[in-house]
Amino acid sequence: MNTPTPRKTAALALAAAGLLSLVGCSGGGREYAVPHRICEVPMPSSAVEPLLPDGKKLHQSRRLIDDDGTVTGCQTAVVDGPLAVSVDITELDKPLTEDDRHSSLESLEHARNIHMGGTHWAVQGDNRLHLSTPCGTKAADSLSFRFSFAKEAEGTEVTRDTTLRFAEEFVQGEKKKEGCTAS
């Protein structure tokens, strides 16, 4: 009969405690699936996953913000947790101006102008991004996007590269969804 000795029992207990502490150190983790749509816009998981924080359940909403229906707000958040992504989309009868771009540069932390194909202009800060893009429909000559991303949320990788990649994919998807004809 192979009876464990006190030394073997202690070693097994220590190994089990070590494994439990490793599991505990990894945080709660992400218990929800990475969505294939953000605010009703199809998105590749590779653009979404780095920006989603740890948590049990993800909640998304898309609603009109103003009475005339020209501003839509979208939010993706972990239930009882941080707001992961927030986007305000505004339908405009003309593009945002250089004064608007300058205001964005002044209002965003560590802001700089960036090149983003298919836009009038784009300004990126540490965890926010503003841009104006042509649309070309009867309802909207142009669209304005204001993105905000969770900063320092557990499980996220909010970098300028990941937020720009998300914004590029989201803008393309939203323009397609809105039936924009201008590129």
Side-chain angles (χ1 to χ4, degrees):
M1 184 143 101
N2 198 0
T3 307
T5 64
R7 185 178 288 175
K8 284 183 183 176
T9 303
L12 286 172
L14 229 117
L19 284 174
L20 284 174
S21 71
L22 285 175
V23 171
C25 288
S26 67
R30 188 176 301 135
E31 296 180 25
Y32 55 86
V34 174
H36 298 290
R37 291 180 170 276
I38 297 292
C39 296
E40 302 173 10
V41 175
M43 296 284 291
S45 61
S46 60
V48 175
E49 192 272 334
L51 302 172
L52 296 180
D54 291 348
K56 291 183 186 258
K57 186 176 178 185
L58 194 69
H59 173 74
Q60 296 192 65
S61 67
R62 183 178 175 115
R63 62 183 173 71
L64 294 177
I65 293 177
D66 63 352
D67 293 335
D68 67 2
T70 60
V71 182
T72 303
C74 301
Q75 295 185 336
T76 301
V78 172
V79 175
D80 296 328
L83 180 65
V85 179
S86 176
V87 184
D88 288 343
I89 306 159
T90 307
E91 295 177 352
L92 303 167
D93 57 3
K94 60 183 178 181
L96 291 177
T97 66
E98 281 300 306
D99 286 341
D100 296 314
R101 182 190 62 77
H102 185 70
S103 292
S104 288
L105 276 170
E106 289 179 350
S107 69
L108 300 181
E109 192 173 333
H110 302 115
R112 66 177 184 213
N113 291 310
I114 58 169
H115 173 72
M116 187 169 163
T119 64
H120 298 116
W121 56 262
V123 173
Q124 185 176 32
D126 285 346
N127 66 321
R128 294 172 59 199
L129 201 139
H130 297 172
L131 64 96
S132 175
T133 186
C135 182
T137 65
K138 187 176 179 180
D141 171 76
S142 297
L143 298 174
S144 165
F145 291 83
R146 293 178 158 298
F147 293 91
S148 295
F149 303 93
K151 196 173 182 181
E152 300 173 12
E154 188 75 27
T156 62
E157 186 187 335
V158 180
T159 65
R160 288 180 182 256
D161 289 339
T162 58
T163 58
L164 181 59
R165 170 120 194 270
F166 179 93
E168 288 172 334
E169 294 284 350
F170 189 89
V171 168
Q172 288 176 17
E174 181 67 21
K175 286 176 74 170
K176 185 176 180 179
K177 184 176 160 300
E178 294 294 325
C180 295
T181 57
S183 52

